[in-house]
Amino acid sequence: MALPSATASLNNSLKCWKYLGIWPDGKHKTMYRCYSSAYIFIVLILYNIQQTLSLYYAPRKIELMIKEITFFFNVLAITNCVFMILYRKKTIIKIFKALDSEQFQGTDIVTKNILMKDVAHYKMYWKGLVGLGNFAYTLNSVVPIIANLAITSYQLQLPTFNYYFLSDSIKKEYFGFLYAYEFFSIYGIMMYDVTTDSFINGMLFFSITQMKILNNKFRNLKTEINSKLSRDEQERIHVTKLKECLRHYDSILTYCSDVQSIINFIMFVKFGLGSLLICVLLCGLLLPQTMESIMFMLFYSMAMVLQIFVPCWLGTQLTYQSQELVFAAYNSDWIPRTEPFKRSVKVFMERAKTPVVIIGFKLFPLSLETFTSIMKTAYSFVTLVRNFQEEAET
């Protein structure tokens, strides 16, 4: 029975990308290129153009523009993710090769147990995220249709933007076609969102896994060697183990560098627009709204908070695990070893004192401190708006 692997888990996103037109499987390249171009144009490019026009022509009323602004900036962030995935395809393939390498797979039981446990956790996360995305899509697009069929007085609204650049007569005449287009497009956009998010977070998650494995390797350098062997032979075995650890560390740094190159600009856009949306949605809750609008803003604001929190938490864990390497190396059985062994451990410890930190566009680290700072800023902004409202009322 084959053991579950990190690449098999990440492949779930790639399988979805194949149908979403951004990850060819190597067969029927010409046909797939035509399908990919048509799908991306209809679902992303045309949708973005229409949504931009709708926002531009929308009435300048905050309560009407909140939903338009929310979907506009969210789709803009998703579009950025999609095109960065297309642009960084070679780097993604390189990352898959690293995860499939013998160094990352490991041969001992402890390493395989760590991998199996983390792969199981990631699979649960992937299923939960995809399930949550489909649930939100159902609430936004499917439930209104059912309500319209069941309740005659219920007025069906378009799922996302309202085509303010079209006249009311045209919207009324082609309402079914417009709803069908948004119904189809936002499902593809939703799947783009959850699959790219799960893939990015998966790359970060498995970098933490490799750090945990390396920590375990360094701590096991003190494992007793067969006493029947001579001291020189024992030293050679210890040196071989140390070299394996150092090569593994170098591979992890290369892997993290590749991950950084992929998510560098993605995180900048996602955090920037996500922070803006959190402020907009929280401010929207201060205005008189229908219960449906309140539920929409609450659900979407929680989704935005979660979207920012997860990579921040993973970035913090990665930094923490990389810092733990110093203590793991110190806990190895280095005292009775030879001077070359001790020097190598000292050099490694000096290098490991600089932790691995994932940066968003060279501006902010992915850390819980960044998340806390964003939430504090959003709260301060909402408090400021509330104070202006109270002054206007008085």
Side-chain angles (χ1 to χ4, degrees):
M1 180 180 177
L3 292 172
S5 65
T7 52
S9 302
L10 293 175
N11 265 327
N12 291 329
S13 293
L14 268 61
K15 289 175 184 177
C16 294
W17 290 351
K18 177 184 174 182
Y19 297 105
L20 295 170
I22 60 174
W23 196 265
D25 59 357
K27 299 177 181 178
H28 312 293
K29 291 183 179 179
T30 303
M31 292 180 60
Y32 187 85
R33 194 177 293 113
C34 295
Y35 165 77
S36 174
S37 301
Y39 190 91
I40 293 173
F41 176 77
I42 294 171
V43 172
L44 274 182
I45 299 175
L46 183 61
Y47 187 93
N48 271 287
I49 292 172
Q50 293 177 338
Q51 195 173 36
T52 303
L53 289 172
S54 182
L55 181 61
Y56 180 78
Y57 286 100
R60 295 303 183 258
K61 296 181 180 179
I62 297 177
E63 59 273 14
L64 295 177
M65 293 186 67
I66 285 177
K67 193 172 183 180
E68 298 275 338
I69 292 172
T70 300
F71 281 109
F72 174 78
F73 284 117
N74 192 35
V75 173
L76 194 64
I78 295 167
T79 304
N80 170 67
C81 290
V82 169
F83 282 101
M84 285 301 295
I85 293 295
L86 289 170
Y87 177 68
R88 292 291 183 178
K89 181 183 173 183
K90 291 182 179 179
T91 311
I92 293 173
I93 293 173
K94 184 180 176 183
I95 282 174
F96 271 81
K97 288 180 180 178
L99 290 172
D100 279 332
S101 65
E102 186 178 347
Q103 283 182 334
F104 277 32
Q105 291 295 320
T107 55
D108 59 287
I109 296 176
V110 176
T111 297
K112 291 187 179 296
N113 285 338
I114 294 173
L115 277 171
M116 288 179 63
K117 185 178 178 181
D118 282 1
V119 166
H121 288 161
Y122 176 74
K123 284 183 176 179
M124 289 176 59
Y125 163 75
W126 192 88
K127 290 177 181 178
L129 188 61
V130 173
L132 185 62
N134 279 276
F135 175 72
Y137 171 79
T138 302
L139 284 181
N140 187 65
S141 304
V142 180
V143 171
I145 296 176
I146 298 172
N148 180 254
L149 295 174
I151 306 171
T152 54
S153 60
Y154 183 84
Q155 186 177 1
L156 189 63
Q157 301 289 333
L158 291 170
T160 53
F161 59 95
N162 204 31
Y163 290 95
Y164 286 111
F165 57 92
L166 299 177
S167 65
D168 292 339
S169 59
I170 293 177
K171 285 192 288 185
K172 185 176 181 181
E173 183 177 357
Y174 296 100
F175 181 84
F177 174 78
L178 297 176
Y179 195 100
Y181 172 73
E182 288 194 23
F183 186 89
F184 168 76
S185 296
I186 60 176
Y187 186 79
I189 290 170
M190 181 274 296
M191 288 303 295
Y192 279 135
D193 191 18
V194 297
T195 53
T196 52
D197 269 6
S198 61
F199 182 78
I200 290 168
N201 292 334
M203 290 190 297
L204 292 171
F205 183 77
F206 289 120
S207 64
I208 298 169
T209 301
Q210 293 303 317
M211 285 293 183
K212 289 192 288 187
I213 291 172
L214 186 57
N215 270 296
N216 177 71
K217 283 184 176 180
F218 269 109
R219 289 189 173 92
N220 284 336
L221 280 176
K222 61 184 178 182
T223 303
E224 291 296 328
I225 306 298
N226 190 344
S227 58
K228 294 181 179 179
L229 298 175
S230 66
R231 181 173 176 79
D232 289 341
E233 290 174 327
Q234 290 183 22
E235 288 299 330
R236 279 197 294 270
I237 292 174
H238 277 96
V239 170
T240 301
K241 282 188 173 184
L242 177 61
K243 287 181 179 179
E244 289 176 0
C245 291
L246 296 178
R247 282 194 290 267
H248 191 184
Y249 180 66
D250 185 62
S251 298
I252 293 174
L253 292 181
T254 302
Y255 172 88
C256 290
S257 177
D258 291 334
V259 172
Q260 172 73 68
S261 68
I262 293 173
I263 70 174
N264 186 32
F265 191 68
I266 290 177
M267 287 294 109
F268 171 71
V269 174
K270 189 176 288 290
F271 274 54
L273 296 180
S275 304
L276 179 62
L277 283 178
I278 291 171
C279 293
V280 170
L281 291 167
L282 291 179
C283 289
L285 291 171
L286 300 176
L287 302 172
Q289 298 285 350
T290 62
M291 182 56 66
E292 184 180 352
S293 297
I294 291 173
M295 293 302 296
F296 166 78
M297 287 186 285
L298 281 174
F299 185 86
Y300 224 97
S301 58
M302 287 189 292
M304 289 295 102
V305 170
L306 186 64
Q307 200 171 55
I308 293 175
F309 172 77
V310 173
C312 284
W313 182 81
L314 292 172
T316 300
Q317 290 298 311
L318 177 59
T319 301
Y320 170 76
Q321 290 294 336
S322 66
Q323 289 173 328
E324 282 292 298
L325 290 173
V326 178
F327 302 102
Y330 184 78
N331 288 333
S332 64
D333 192 16
W334 59 270
I335 295 177
R337 303 278 74 83
T338 58
E339 283 302 316
F341 185 95
K342 292 178 182 178
R343 282 197 298 270
S344 297
V345 172
K346 288 178 183 177
V347 171
F348 169 77
M349 291 173 65
E350 287 299 319
R351 171 60 185 88
K353 285 179 181 179
T354 304
V356 177
V357 180
I358 302 298
I359 306 293
F361 208 53
K362 299 182 179 180
L363 293 175
F364 56 88
L366 295 189
S367 66
L368 291 176
E369 289 183 4
T370 300
F371 173 77
T372 304
S373 177
I374 290 172
M375 298 309 298
K376 284 181 178 179
T377 303
Y379 177 77
S380 300
F381 181 76
V382 172
T383 303
L384 182 64
V385 172
R386 182 59 181 167
N387 290 336
F388 276 120
Q389 282 184 332
E390 290 177 352
E391 290 179 3
E393 290 172 358
T394 56

